[in-house]
Amino acid sequence: MRLNATPLYTPDQIQARVEALAGEIRRDYAGRDLVVLAVLKGALFFTADLVRAMAREVEVDCVRARSYAGTASTGDVRFTLLPEIPIAGRHVLVVEDILDTGRTATALLARLGEERPASITVCTLLDKPTRRVVPIEADYVGFTIPDHFVVGYGLDHDERHRELPGLWTLAPERDE
Ligand code: IMP
Ligand code: MG
């Protein structure tokens, strides 16, 4: 699949939004200890930019989810990586690339909740609310978008395009 001719969001637009979100998070967590959990691999670049723009001390760790098609409303989401640092009694911010059906984030919040953190919030770069299967809302949203498949800035299509500094939609294939 090809990329559309113009980006959905340019690197400058993304960085401006990341800085605004980082400012909001910094204010909301002022004076509190904070653990930031990046959901691999999609949130890798977003998390790196977000924590640096926060300009405060944080602890960073990663989680990784794998989802299988399932009939249950939450699908079948399994975690192949969970945080190594203790999160019990601590404030946790989960950083996602995109909230689509909501299955991954819902399953992740349930799993992390078992560790008894003091609080958990979700920050997602992109939100596709029209695709939601499980009702979940992020506390911090970079961009709310319609139901288009998006790549770049960490998001992939079959592992391609994660390295693009902007966000792009894919063009439908044409027969030539
Ligand atoms: P969920 O459907 O909310 O559980 O989202 C699961 C995962 O699907 C996300 O973390 C992404 O990795 C992937 N995904 C959903 N929509 C897109 C998209 O538009 N581009 C790239 N990946 C996507
Ligand atoms: Mg993916």
Side-chain angles (χ1 to χ4, degrees):
M1 294 240 262
R2 294 172 307 111
L3 302 178
N4 274 313
T6 51
L8 181 62
Y9 296 106
T10 64
D12 283 351
Q13 289 173 314
I14 296 169
Q15 288 315 314
R17 203 56 205 111
V18 167
E19 275 163 39
L21 285 173
E24 242 185 274
I25 294 165
R26 181 173 54 238
R27 283 188 293 280
D28 291 351
Y29 287 91
R32 289 193 282 169
D33 158 69
L34 181 60
V35 177
V36 175
L37 297 181
V39 183
L40 299 181
K41 296 183 248 180
L44 205 51
F45 306 99
F46 177 41
T47 306
D49 286 342
L50 188 69
V51 296
R52 286 179 294 180
M54 271 183 215
R56 56 153 289 163
E57 199 173 305
V58 293
E59 283 186 37
V60 179
D61 209 336
C62 301
V63 297
R64 189 154 182 200
R66 186 164 297 235
S67 52
Y68 301 85
T71 48
S73 65
T74 51
D76 185 3
V77 179
R78 291 178 207 171
F79 299 99
T80 55
L81 182 70
L82 283 164
E84 286 186 343
I85 57 178
I87 61 167
R90 308 183 70 186
H91 298 289
V92 174
L93 176 75
V94 173
V95 183
E96 278 267 19
D97 55 353
I98 187 164
L99 230 56
D100 187 41
T101 64
R103 286 176 168 139
T104 308
T106 302
L108 184 57
L109 292 187
R111 178 62 190 83
L112 294 175
E114 292 173 14
E115 309 290 325
R116 299 279 169 249
S119 71
I120 312 185
T121 54
V122 176
C123 175
T124 188
L125 173 68
L126 298 171
D127 188 10
K128 284 192 211 172
T130 58
R131 290 264 307 161
R132 209 74 93 243
V133 171
V134 186
I136 179 169
E137 271 181 55
D139 301 274
Y140 306 94
V141 176
F143 302 102
T144 299
I145 60 167
D147 181 16
H148 292 313
F149 200 84
V150 177
V151 296
Y153 198 61
L155 289 97
D156 73 303
H157 178 250
D158 289 340
E159 295 304 326
R160 292 185 63 207
H161 306 307
R162 290 192 199 275
E163 73 285 358
L164 296 173
L167 283 160
W168 300 76
T169 50
L170 292 177
E173 295 286 12
R174 269 183 314 187
D175 296 304
E176 288 173 22

